[in-house]
Amino acid sequence: MNEISRHIGDNIRAIRKQKGFSQEQLALRAEINGSYMGQVERGEKSPTIDVLGKIAQALQCPLEQLVHVSGAPREESSYADKIAYQLEGLSVREQEAVYKFVKQLVQFKTID
Protein backbone atom coordinates (compact mmCIF):
# COMPACT_ATOMS: atom_id res chain seq x y z
CA MET A 1 0.00 0.00 0.00
CA ASN A 2 1.38 3.38 -1.08
CA GLU A 3 1.75 5.90 1.79
CA ILE A 4 0.42 8.80 -0.30
CA SER A 5 -2.56 6.74 -1.46
CA ARG A 6 -3.32 5.89 2.17
CA HIS A 7 -3.22 9.55 3.20
CA ILE A 8 -5.47 10.55 0.30
CA GLY A 9 -7.88 7.76 1.21
CA ASP A 10 -7.88 8.91 4.84
CA ASN A 11 -8.61 12.47 3.70
CA ILE A 12 -11.49 11.33 1.50
CA ARG A 13 -12.95 9.22 4.33
CA ALA A 14 -12.70 12.06 6.86
CA ILE A 15 -14.32 14.60 4.53
CA ARG A 16 -17.00 12.10 3.49
CA LYS A 17 -17.90 11.44 7.12
CA GLN A 18 -17.92 15.18 7.91
CA LYS A 19 -20.39 15.65 5.05
CA GLY A 20 -22.54 12.77 6.32
CA PHE A 21 -22.25 10.57 3.21
CA SER A 22 -21.93 6.82 3.12
CA GLN A 23 -19.28 5.34 0.85
CA GLU A 24 -21.98 4.25 -1.57
CA GLN A 25 -23.59 7.71 -1.62
CA LEU A 26 -20.24 9.30 -2.41
CA ALA A 27 -19.55 6.76 -5.16
CA LEU A 28 -22.93 7.48 -6.73
CA ARG A 29 -22.42 11.25 -6.52
CA ALA A 30 -18.93 10.92 -8.02
CA GLU A 31 -20.18 8.45 -10.66
CA ILE A 32 -17.60 5.81 -9.78
CA ASN A 33 -17.90 2.17 -8.76
CA GLY A 34 -18.72 1.64 -5.06
CA SER A 35 -16.11 -1.08 -4.50
CA TYR A 36 -13.47 1.09 -6.19
CA MET A 37 -14.42 3.91 -3.81
CA GLY A 38 -13.72 1.59 -0.88
CA GLN A 39 -10.37 0.61 -2.33
CA VAL A 40 -9.43 4.27 -2.77
CA GLU A 41 -10.40 5.09 0.84
CA ARG A 42 -8.31 2.18 2.12
CA GLY A 43 -5.34 3.30 0.01
CA GLU A 44 -5.40 0.10 -2.02
CA LYS A 45 -5.90 1.96 -5.31
CA SER A 46 -4.32 5.18 -6.54
CA PRO A 47 -7.04 7.19 -8.27
CA THR A 48 -6.33 9.26 -11.37
CA ILE A 49 -6.54 13.03 -11.17
CA ASP A 50 -9.84 12.81 -13.06
CA VAL A 51 -11.30 10.48 -10.42
CA LEU A 52 -10.01 12.74 -7.62
CA GLY A 53 -11.68 15.65 -9.39
CA LYS A 54 -15.00 13.77 -9.46
CA ILE A 55 -14.67 12.92 -5.76
CA ALA A 56 -13.81 16.51 -4.85
CA GLN A 57 -16.79 17.78 -6.83
CA ALA A 58 -19.08 15.22 -5.17
CA LEU A 59 -17.79 16.29 -1.74
CA GLN A 60 -18.02 19.97 -2.71
CA CYS A 61 -14.45 20.58 -1.53
CA PRO A 62 -11.28 21.75 -3.22
CA LEU A 63 -9.14 19.05 -4.82
CA GLU A 64 -6.22 20.29 -2.71
CA GLN A 65 -8.05 19.18 0.43
CA LEU A 66 -8.11 15.59 -0.83
CA VAL A 67 -4.43 15.39 -1.68
CA HIS A 68 -3.07 17.34 1.30
CA VAL A 69 -0.80 14.89 3.15
CA SER A 70 1.64 16.87 5.26
CA GLY A 71 -0.83 17.63 8.06
CA ALA A 72 -2.48 14.24 8.28
CA PRO A 73 -1.92 12.80 11.77
CA ARG A 74 -0.34 9.39 12.12
CA GLU A 75 -1.69 6.69 14.43
CA GLU A 76 0.87 7.67 17.08
CA SER A 77 -0.15 11.37 16.93
CA SER A 78 -1.58 12.98 20.03
CA TYR A 79 -5.33 13.07 20.37
CA ALA A 80 -5.20 16.87 20.20
CA ASP A 81 -3.55 16.61 16.77
CA LYS A 82 -6.15 14.10 15.62
CA ILE A 83 -9.00 16.33 16.80
CA ALA A 84 -7.45 19.39 15.14
CA TYR A 85 -7.13 17.45 11.88
CA GLN A 86 -10.80 16.44 12.00
CA LEU A 87 -11.77 20.09 12.42
CA GLU A 88 -10.12 21.05 9.12
CA GLY A 89 -12.70 21.80 6.50
CA LEU A 90 -15.45 22.54 9.00
CA SER A 91 -17.03 25.97 9.08
CA VAL A 92 -16.29 28.29 11.98
CA ARG A 93 -19.78 27.60 13.33
CA GLU A 94 -19.20 23.83 13.20
CA GLN A 95 -15.79 24.21 14.87
CA GLU A 96 -17.37 26.31 17.60
CA ALA A 97 -20.02 23.65 18.21
CA VAL A 98 -17.34 20.95 18.54
CA TYR A 99 -15.33 23.16 20.90
CA LYS A 100 -18.36 23.78 23.13
CA PHE A 101 -19.13 20.07 23.20
CA VAL A 102 -15.56 19.14 24.17
CA LYS A 103 -15.50 21.89 26.79
CA GLN A 104 -18.71 20.52 28.35
CA LEU A 105 -17.25 17.01 28.39
CA VAL A 106 -14.12 18.22 30.18
CA GLN A 107 -16.16 20.22 32.70
CA PHE A 108 -18.41 17.22 33.33
CA LYS A 109 -15.37 15.02 34.01
CA THR A 110 -13.94 17.46 36.54
CA ILE A 111 -17.21 17.43 38.55
CA ASP A 112 -16.63 13.82 39.67
Side-chain angles (χ1 to χ4, degrees), residues 48-59:
T48 65
I49 195 72
D50 291 334
V51 170
L52 287 173
K54 288 179 175 183
I55 294 169
Q57 187 173 17
L59 289 170

